[in-house]
Amino acid sequence: MDLNTIWFILIGVLFTGFFFLEGFDFGVGILLPFLGKEDKERRIIINTIGPHWDANEVWLVTAGGAMFAAFPNWYATLFSGFYLALFLMLLTMILRAVAFEFRSKDKNPRWRSWWDWMIFVGSLVPALLWGVAMANLLRGVPIDASMTYVGGFFNLLNPFALLCGLTFVLVFTLHGAIFLTLKTDGQISKRARAVAKALWIPAVVSLVLALGMGYFGTGMAARLGVAPIVVPLIAVVALLLVSWFLYRERTGLAFVLTGVTIAFSTITLFMGLYPRVMVSSLSPDWSLTIYNASSSPYTLKVMSIVALILLPIVLAYQAWSYWIFRQRLVRESPLEY
Amino acid sequence: MNELLLARWQFAITCTYHYFFVPLTLGLSILVAIMETRYARTGDEVFKRMAKFWGKLFLINFAMGVATGLVMEFQFGMNWSEYARFVGDIFGAPLAIEALLAFFLEATFLGIWIFGWDKLSKSLHAAAMWMVAIGSNMSALWILIANSFMQQPVGYTIRNGRAEMTDFFVLITNPNVRFQFPHVIAAGITTAAFFVLGISAYHLLRKSHDLEVFRRSFRIAVVYAVIGTVLVILVGHGQTQHMIDTQPMKMAAAEALMQTEDPASFSLLSIVNEADMTDIFSIRIPGLLSFLAYNTFQGEVKGIHELQVTYQDLYGPGNYVPPVAVSYWTFRLMVGAGFLMALLALVGLYLVFRERFEQQRLYLTLLVPAIALPYIANTTGWLLTEVGRQPWIVFGLQKTEDAVSPAVSAGMVLFSLATFTVLYGALMVADIYLLSKYAKSGPEGQEDLSPAGAH
């Protein structure tokens, strides 16, 4: 396996980590205004992700940095091509980050309600747009011979991409609802479980349609053959099992399974891309690949060593932080803020 | 308005804005860690209240830094895709390392610090803030390694139509970063020191509750301010000399030095006609610039006209003169603010030694508006660094005009620029509102501001 492939996998891993972790905290953010009936409940809901959301977001920063370092042309074409989509993502993520810190710092109910809605918007819009962006990498967008995106904003809003966006939102919200069921108790936990149960069917339908369209509609099946279909199947089966565990109150397992769904859906996407990183809808020759978009072998080597050393350490202390805050948040918990 | 100009404005606005929050994070993280370490060692509750009080202000500031930081990382690709293609092989590496090595550390341990007061032992909790401090200051190192490549490209070769890395070690030990990094760290220390001094002075003047918190904060911050300002000036001096070697045009513009001089004069006040690069008015001190450059009153410093000719020979026809007025005035504001802070810090140290600082009402009153000084110096310092490098985005290798994204239209940038500006303006109002509310309320008042039932 060459370094280009290793870095392609590594960026896949970083996006998987980002979607898995930020997936539930986007979900929690989307559910916040609906599951928190009064101020204290909202504070509890926010505190379930309070210690983690920022570090979860660093997975995105790292994925972006890794893309820049390993595949500068991918980074350049994607970020300039999807300009308005990424701009909207930034805008809403800024508001979300500020909202976490600002919302409790004033007692005015309108102030709090404003920031709570910003957490909602800042969770919903990026979730949707990541689905749209990822789908378009695979489906193909107008890229010319000089690796420049020549489409507009509305090229991105095709049915497949919108379906993937919807799937991201539904699966993340489900993931978040299960996380909240686990991390809270009493009324909030009950409500979160009810939401999870209600979201399950739409999430399954949406995921099956999206994976089906991705697999058969983007030429993936023709390129890869039938064997890798196991991967999207695992994603679907895991999601199907979620309901079974939810009804038996085995919430921890249900959470693991939505995680499996997110991970295997992301892997499906990256498998469909490989060895391309961005498909050109104008000519197959103009697609960006792990070779024509990559950095020099020397840079890839340096970065491989760096990542090999640092990534395990990061995983270790991030896991430790989840261990510290493993307990459920109850109404009597001291709500640091 | 073309896309290039709009993209430059957007980068300038979003970067300057982001940098309002960064230096305070760098410096205050260390200061809060010191306060909490003393609490962990002595068990003295005053230190705990200090850590909590300044920690709260740290968090309000930090949130803004994080939120606006994401824009910076995305923007290289969004607006400067040709730059990203040209230097990605080199520039991406420190950015990725910054995230892996620094941002994860900072974000994870800050989460632990905020929510872990009753979950960790005192020392472990203080250690978490040290991790935050190490993380944020290390992030400065890696982004400055990246920026230093733009100022002084090293460890690369031009191959496949782009700059490719040939030596990672040379890249991270760029001579430029040896000045830039300590300068930025010292500036962070200075910013935090004046932030703490100004707010402490406010409370000492008003004889607020819990004065002991502010007395001790004041004493620590004065020492911190002296260290910061002395360091920033010493390193800054070295950095200026380095600039004359590596980017003489930036120095010439910062000094409005039209003709090459030996010995070279230092400008006290110059007004320049930038259309034909002539002095309209200029008062200069003979020999002083040579002294700043070489530590002796002899020595040639090149002027704008000669450098322009040299660069045309080297790089082909074009205008290689950066905006002179911006370079000139930002340099003066930065240095002026720096020396003023050093003076205030030394006076403060003297008063603290004599145990007289609480009675010096005039001095304390001055310290409140002096909070603005580090912000002026930080902002103008970066404006000089980046504007003074023009027309280059990477000195000698790529011009800014060749770096902009072809896929992005002027209308798109205008839309994002306008939206960012409005959003950032509104957030600044909210940020200052919260900061001043919490700063004024003091450690005990803060408890009341927290939601019911909270700590």
Side-chain angles (χ1 to χ4, degrees), chain B residues 41-63:
Chain B
R41 286 221 178 132
T42 62
D44 186 341
E45 289 286 326
V46 176
F47 283 118
K48 184 181 183 182
R49 290 206 296 280
M50 284 162 70
K52 281 209 160 192
F53 174 74
W54 298 111
K56 203 83 147 185
L57 298 176
F58 173 83
L59 291 178
I60 297 171
N61 174 73
F62 184 85

PDB file of all heavy atoms in Angstrom, chain B residues 41-63:
ATOM      1  N   ARG B  41      -1.253  24.173  45.583  1.00  0.00           N
ATOM      2  CA  ARG B  41      -0.132  23.993  46.518  1.00  0.00           C
ATOM      3  C   ARG B  41      -0.470  24.451  47.930  1.00  0.00           C
ATOM      4  O   ARG B  41      -0.105  23.813  48.900  1.00  0.00           O
ATOM      5  CB  ARG B  41       1.068  24.804  46.018  1.00  0.00           C
ATOM      6  CG  ARG B  41       1.719  24.143  44.821  1.00  0.00           C
ATOM      7  CD  ARG B  41       3.214  24.230  44.955  1.00  0.00           C
ATOM      8  NE  ARG B  41       3.855  23.547  43.838  1.00  0.00           N
ATOM      9  CZ  ARG B  41       4.841  24.081  43.134  1.00  0.00           C
ATOM     10  NH1 ARG B  41       5.288  25.279  43.459  1.00  0.00           N
ATOM     11  NH2 ARG B  41       5.392  23.417  42.147  1.00  0.00           N
ATOM     12  N   THR B  42      -1.139  25.623  48.023  1.00  0.00           N
ATOM     13  CA  THR B  42      -1.326  26.222  49.346  1.00  0.00           C
ATOM     14  C   THR B  42      -2.721  25.968  49.913  1.00  0.00           C
ATOM     15  O   THR B  42      -2.931  26.097  51.106  1.00  0.00           O
ATOM     16  CB  THR B  42      -1.146  27.754  49.271  1.00  0.00           C
ATOM     17  OG1 THR B  42      -2.162  28.260  48.381  1.00  0.00           O
ATOM     18  CG2 THR B  42       0.214  28.126  48.733  1.00  0.00           C
ATOM     19  N   GLY B  43      -3.665  25.642  49.034  1.00  0.00           N
ATOM     20  CA  GLY B  43      -5.039  25.479  49.508  1.00  0.00           C
ATOM     21  C   GLY B  43      -5.712  26.804  49.843  1.00  0.00           C
ATOM     22  O   GLY B  43      -6.816  26.836  50.375  1.00  0.00           O
ATOM     23  N   ASP B  44      -5.048  27.903  49.534  1.00  0.00           N
ATOM     24  CA  ASP B  44      -5.568  29.238  49.825  1.00  0.00           C
ATOM     25  C   ASP B  44      -6.736  29.562  48.871  1.00  0.00           C
ATOM     26  O   ASP B  44      -6.552  29.643  47.661  1.00  0.00           O
ATOM     27  CB  ASP B  44      -4.419  30.242  49.631  1.00  0.00           C
ATOM     28  CG  ASP B  44      -4.811  31.644  50.052  1.00  0.00           C
ATOM     29  OD1 ASP B  44      -6.033  31.920  50.145  1.00  0.00           O
ATOM     30  OD2 ASP B  44      -3.901  32.455  50.286  1.00  0.00           O
ATOM     31  N   GLU B  45      -7.917  29.767  49.439  1.00  0.00           N
ATOM     32  CA  GLU B  45      -9.125  29.959  48.627  1.00  0.00           C
ATOM     33  C   GLU B  45      -9.060  31.211  47.751  1.00  0.00           C
ATOM     34  O   GLU B  45      -9.741  31.291  46.736  1.00  0.00           O
ATOM     35  CB  GLU B  45     -10.369  30.023  49.524  1.00  0.00           C
ATOM     36  CG  GLU B  45     -10.751  28.684  50.158  1.00  0.00           C
ATOM     37  CD  GLU B  45     -11.390  27.720  49.155  1.00  0.00           C
ATOM     38  OE1 GLU B  45     -12.106  28.200  48.254  1.00  0.00           O
ATOM     39  OE2 GLU B  45     -11.143  26.506  49.268  1.00  0.00           O
ATOM     40  N   VAL B  46      -8.259  32.192  48.181  1.00  0.00           N
ATOM     41  CA  VAL B  46      -8.154  33.410  47.366  1.00  0.00           C
ATOM     42  C   VAL B  46      -7.642  33.068  45.975  1.00  0.00           C
ATOM     43  O   VAL B  46      -8.151  33.563  44.968  1.00  0.00           O
ATOM     44  CB  VAL B  46      -7.230  34.449  48.045  1.00  0.00           C
ATOM     45  CG1 VAL B  46      -7.060  35.664  47.136  1.00  0.00           C
ATOM     46  CG2 VAL B  46      -7.800  34.867  49.384  1.00  0.00           C
ATOM     47  N   PHE B  47      -6.657  32.178  45.923  1.00  0.00           N
ATOM     48  CA  PHE B  47      -6.115  31.786  44.623  1.00  0.00           C
ATOM     49  C   PHE B  47      -7.151  31.051  43.780  1.00  0.00           C
ATOM     50  O   PHE B  47      -7.178  31.169  42.565  1.00  0.00           O
ATOM     51  CB  PHE B  47      -4.861  30.924  44.794  1.00  0.00           C
ATOM     52  CG  PHE B  47      -3.640  31.719  45.160  1.00  0.00           C
ATOM     53  CD1 PHE B  47      -2.985  31.500  46.363  1.00  0.00           C
ATOM     54  CD2 PHE B  47      -3.153  32.691  44.300  1.00  0.00           C
ATOM     55  CE1 PHE B  47      -1.865  32.243  46.701  1.00  0.00           C
ATOM     56  CE2 PHE B  47      -2.032  33.434  44.633  1.00  0.00           C
ATOM     57  CZ  PHE B  47      -1.384  33.217  45.846  1.00  0.00           C
ATOM     58  N   LYS B  48      -8.000  30.289  44.459  1.00  0.00           N
ATOM     59  CA  LYS B  48      -9.046  29.589  43.726  1.00  0.00           C
ATOM     60  C   LYS B  48     -10.018  30.605  43.111  1.00  0.00           C
ATOM     61  O   LYS B  48     -10.419  30.480  41.949  1.00  0.00           O
ATOM     62  CB  LYS B  48      -9.794  28.634  44.652  1.00  0.00           C
ATOM     63  CG  LYS B  48     -10.826  27.803  43.916  1.00  0.00           C
ATOM     64  CD  LYS B  48     -11.581  26.877  44.846  1.00  0.00           C
ATOM     65  CE  LYS B  48     -12.542  26.011  44.035  1.00  0.00           C
ATOM     66  NZ  LYS B  48     -13.333  25.132  44.883  1.00  0.00           N
ATOM     67  N   ARG B  49     -10.391  31.591  43.926  1.00  0.00           N
ATOM     68  CA  ARG B  49     -11.307  32.611  43.395  1.00  0.00           C
ATOM     69  C   ARG B  49     -10.668  33.373  42.243  1.00  0.00           C
ATOM     70  O   ARG B  49     -11.324  33.741  41.276  1.00  0.00           O
ATOM     71  CB  ARG B  49     -11.725  33.569  44.506  1.00  0.00           C
ATOM     72  CG  ARG B  49     -12.645  32.935  45.554  1.00  0.00           C
ATOM     73  CD  ARG B  49     -13.518  33.963  46.243  1.00  0.00           C
ATOM     74  NE  ARG B  49     -12.748  34.928  47.019  1.00  0.00           N
ATOM     75  CZ  ARG B  49     -12.254  34.696  48.243  1.00  0.00           C
ATOM     76  NH1 ARG B  49     -12.466  33.541  48.835  1.00  0.00           N
ATOM     77  NH2 ARG B  49     -11.579  35.619  48.880  1.00  0.00           N
ATOM     78  N   MET B  50      -9.350  33.609  42.366  1.00  0.00           N
ATOM     79  CA  MET B  50      -8.644  34.278  41.259  1.00  0.00           C
ATOM     80  C   MET B  50      -8.716  33.431  39.993  1.00  0.00           C
ATOM     81  O   MET B  50      -9.049  33.928  38.905  1.00  0.00           O
ATOM     82  CB  MET B  50      -7.171  34.506  41.631  1.00  0.00           C
ATOM     83  CG  MET B  50      -6.948  35.650  42.595  1.00  0.00           C
ATOM     84  SD  MET B  50      -5.325  35.557  43.397  1.00  0.00           S
ATOM     85  CE  MET B  50      -4.240  35.937  42.028  1.00  0.00           C
ATOM     86  N   ALA B  51      -8.398  32.141  40.138  1.00  0.00           N
ATOM     87  CA  ALA B  51      -8.398  31.261  38.953  1.00  0.00           C
ATOM     88  C   ALA B  51      -9.786  31.224  38.332  1.00  0.00           C
ATOM     89  O   ALA B  51      -9.939  31.253  37.113  1.00  0.00           O
ATOM     90  CB  ALA B  51      -7.932  29.867  39.343  1.00  0.00           C
ATOM     91  N   LYS B  52     -10.807  31.179  39.202  1.00  0.00           N
ATOM     92  CA  LYS B  52     -12.175  31.096  38.664  1.00  0.00           C
ATOM     93  C   LYS B  52     -12.597  32.399  37.997  1.00  0.00           C
ATOM     94  O   LYS B  52     -13.233  32.395  36.939  1.00  0.00           O
ATOM     95  CB  LYS B  52     -13.151  30.751  39.798  1.00  0.00           C
ATOM     96  CG  LYS B  52     -13.139  29.283  40.148  1.00  0.00           C
ATOM     97  CD  LYS B  52     -14.490  28.857  40.694  1.00  0.00           C
ATOM     98  CE  LYS B  52     -14.636  27.352  40.574  1.00  0.00           C
ATOM     99  NZ  LYS B  52     -15.993  26.885  40.822  1.00  0.00           N
ATOM    100  N   PHE B  53     -12.248  33.499  38.643  1.00  0.00           N
ATOM    101  CA  PHE B  53     -12.646  34.800  38.088  1.00  0.00           C
ATOM    102  C   PHE B  53     -11.993  35.041  36.726  1.00  0.00           C
ATOM    103  O   PHE B  53     -12.666  35.322  35.728  1.00  0.00           O
ATOM    104  CB  PHE B  53     -12.265  35.925  39.059  1.00  0.00           C
ATOM    105  CG  PHE B  53     -12.519  37.300  38.499  1.00  0.00           C
ATOM    106  CD1 PHE B  53     -13.812  37.787  38.402  1.00  0.00           C
ATOM    107  CD2 PHE B  53     -11.469  38.095  38.054  1.00  0.00           C
ATOM    108  CE1 PHE B  53     -14.052  39.052  37.875  1.00  0.00           C
ATOM    109  CE2 PHE B  53     -11.707  39.358  37.533  1.00  0.00           C
ATOM    110  CZ  PHE B  53     -12.995  39.836  37.439  1.00  0.00           C
ATOM    111  N   TRP B  54     -10.672  34.915  36.673  1.00  0.00           N
ATOM    112  CA  TRP B  54      -9.984  35.161  35.397  1.00  0.00           C
ATOM    113  C   TRP B  54     -10.287  34.048  34.407  1.00  0.00           C
ATOM    114  O   TRP B  54     -10.310  34.274  33.188  1.00  0.00           O
ATOM    115  CB  TRP B  54      -8.477  35.309  35.613  1.00  0.00           C
ATOM    116  CG  TRP B  54      -8.150  36.486  36.490  1.00  0.00           C
ATOM    117  CD1 TRP B  54      -7.648  36.439  37.755  1.00  0.00           C
ATOM    118  CD2 TRP B  54      -8.352  37.871  36.186  1.00  0.00           C
ATOM    119  NE1 TRP B  54      -7.508  37.718  38.263  1.00  0.00           N
ATOM    120  CE2 TRP B  54      -7.928  38.612  37.317  1.00  0.00           C
ATOM    121  CE3 TRP B  54      -8.845  38.562  35.084  1.00  0.00           C
ATOM    122  CZ2 TRP B  54      -7.981  40.003  37.365  1.00  0.00           C
ATOM    123  CZ3 TRP B  54      -8.895  39.955  35.128  1.00  0.00           C
ATOM    124  CH2 TRP B  54      -8.471  40.659  36.265  1.00  0.00           C
ATOM    125  N   GLY B  55     -10.538  32.847  34.938  1.00  0.00           N
ATOM    126  CA  GLY B  55     -10.889  31.730  34.065  1.00  0.00           C
ATOM    127  C   GLY B  55     -12.181  31.987  33.318  1.00  0.00           C
ATOM    128  O   GLY B  55     -12.312  31.665  32.140  1.00  0.00           O
ATOM    129  N   LYS B  56     -13.141  32.596  34.010  1.00  0.00           N
ATOM    130  CA  LYS B  56     -14.419  32.909  33.365  1.00  0.00           C
ATOM    131  C   LYS B  56     -14.218  33.871  32.197  1.00  0.00           C
ATOM    132  O   LYS B  56     -14.758  33.684  31.111  1.00  0.00           O
ATOM    133  CB  LYS B  56     -15.331  33.569  34.410  1.00  0.00           C
ATOM    134  CG  LYS B  56     -16.792  33.455  34.100  1.00  0.00           C
ATOM    135  CD  LYS B  56     -17.245  32.130  34.567  1.00  0.00           C
ATOM    136  CE  LYS B  56     -18.598  31.921  35.087  1.00  0.00           C
ATOM    137  NZ  LYS B  56     -18.857  30.608  35.611  1.00  0.00           N
ATOM    138  N   LEU B  57     -13.424  34.901  32.430  1.00  0.00           N
ATOM    139  CA  LEU B  57     -13.160  35.867  31.358  1.00  0.00           C
ATOM    140  C   LEU B  57     -12.370  35.195  30.231  1.00  0.00           C
ATOM    141  O   LEU B  57     -12.595  35.456  29.044  1.00  0.00           O
ATOM    142  CB  LEU B  57     -12.388  37.069  31.905  1.00  0.00           C
ATOM    143  CG  LEU B  57     -13.125  37.867  32.977  1.00  0.00           C
ATOM    144  CD1 LEU B  57     -12.236  38.981  33.520  1.00  0.00           C
ATOM    145  CD2 LEU B  57     -14.410  38.463  32.423  1.00  0.00           C
ATOM    146  N   PHE B  58     -11.463  34.306  30.636  1.00  0.00           N
ATOM    147  CA  PHE B  58     -10.697  33.547  29.648  1.00  0.00           C
ATOM    148  C   PHE B  58     -11.638  32.782  28.722  1.00  0.00           C
ATOM    149  O   PHE B  58     -11.460  32.772  27.500  1.00  0.00           O
ATOM    150  CB  PHE B  58      -9.762  32.576  30.387  1.00  0.00           C
ATOM    151  CG  PHE B  58      -9.041  31.618  29.488  1.00  0.00           C
ATOM    152  CD1 PHE B  58      -7.878  31.996  28.834  1.00  0.00           C
ATOM    153  CD2 PHE B  58      -9.506  30.322  29.292  1.00  0.00           C
ATOM    154  CE1 PHE B  58      -7.207  31.118  28.000  1.00  0.00           C
ATOM    155  CE2 PHE B  58      -8.836  29.436  28.458  1.00  0.00           C
ATOM    156  CZ  PHE B  58      -7.688  29.830  27.807  1.00  0.00           C
ATOM    157  N   LEU B  59     -12.661  32.160  29.303  1.00  0.00           N
ATOM    158  CA  LEU B  59     -13.576  31.336  28.506  1.00  0.00           C
ATOM    159  C   LEU B  59     -14.389  32.155  27.515  1.00  0.00           C
ATOM    160  O   LEU B  59     -14.587  31.739  26.369  1.00  0.00           O
ATOM    161  CB  LEU B  59     -14.536  30.574  29.424  1.00  0.00           C
ATOM    162  CG  LEU B  59     -13.896  29.473  30.259  1.00  0.00           C
ATOM    163  CD1 LEU B  59     -14.931  28.822  31.149  1.00  0.00           C
ATOM    164  CD2 LEU B  59     -13.229  28.451  29.365  1.00  0.00           C
ATOM    165  N   ILE B  60     -14.866  33.312  27.952  1.00  0.00           N
ATOM    166  CA  ILE B  60     -15.645  34.161  27.042  1.00  0.00           C
ATOM    167  C   ILE B  60     -14.781  34.533  25.839  1.00  0.00           C
ATOM    168  O   ILE B  60     -15.200  34.465  24.686  1.00  0.00           O
ATOM    169  CB  ILE B  60     -16.135  35.431  27.770  1.00  0.00           C
ATOM    170  CG1 ILE B  60     -17.087  35.042  28.910  1.00  0.00           C
ATOM    171  CG2 ILE B  60     -16.819  36.389  26.805  1.00  0.00           C
ATOM    172  CD1 ILE B  60     -17.463  36.191  29.826  1.00  0.00           C
ATOM    173  N   ASN B  61     -13.531  34.886  26.134  1.00  0.00           N
ATOM    174  CA  ASN B  61     -12.601  35.252  25.080  1.00  0.00           C
ATOM    175  C   ASN B  61     -12.252  34.047  24.205  1.00  0.00           C
ATOM    176  O   ASN B  61     -12.184  34.137  22.984  1.00  0.00           O
ATOM    177  CB  ASN B  61     -11.337  35.824  25.736  1.00  0.00           C
ATOM    178  CG  ASN B  61     -10.240  36.104  24.735  1.00  0.00           C
ATOM    179  OD1 ASN B  61     -10.330  37.056  23.969  1.00  0.00           O
ATOM    180  ND2 ASN B  61      -9.219  35.280  24.724  1.00  0.00           N
ATOM    181  N   PHE B  62     -12.046  32.906  24.852  1.00  0.00           N
ATOM    182  CA  PHE B  62     -11.621  31.699  24.138  1.00  0.00           C
ATOM    183  C   PHE B  62     -12.666  31.266  23.108  1.00  0.00           C
ATOM    184  O   PHE B  62     -12.331  30.884  21.990  1.00  0.00           O
ATOM    185  CB  PHE B  62     -11.381  30.572  25.148  1.00  0.00           C
ATOM    186  CG  PHE B  62     -10.841  29.313  24.534  1.00  0.00           C
ATOM    187  CD1 PHE B  62      -9.482  29.169  24.330  1.00  0.00           C
ATOM    188  CD2 PHE B  62     -11.679  28.271  24.173  1.00  0.00           C
ATOM    189  CE1 PHE B  62      -8.962  28.012  23.768  1.00  0.00           C
ATOM    190  CE2 PHE B  62     -11.171  27.110  23.600  1.00  0.00           C
ATOM    191  CZ  PHE B  62      -9.809  26.982  23.401  1.00  0.00           C
ATOM    192  N   ALA B  63     -13.941  31.333  23.519  1.00  0.00           N
ATOM    193  CA  ALA B  63     -15.012  30.905  22.615  1.00  0.00           C
ATOM    194  C   ALA B  63     -14.950  31.669  21.300  1.00  0.00           C
ATOM    195  O   ALA B  63     -15.097  31.104  20.217  1.00  0.00           O
ATOM    196  CB  ALA B  63     -16.368  31.115  23.280  1.00  0.00           C
TER     197      ALA B  63
END
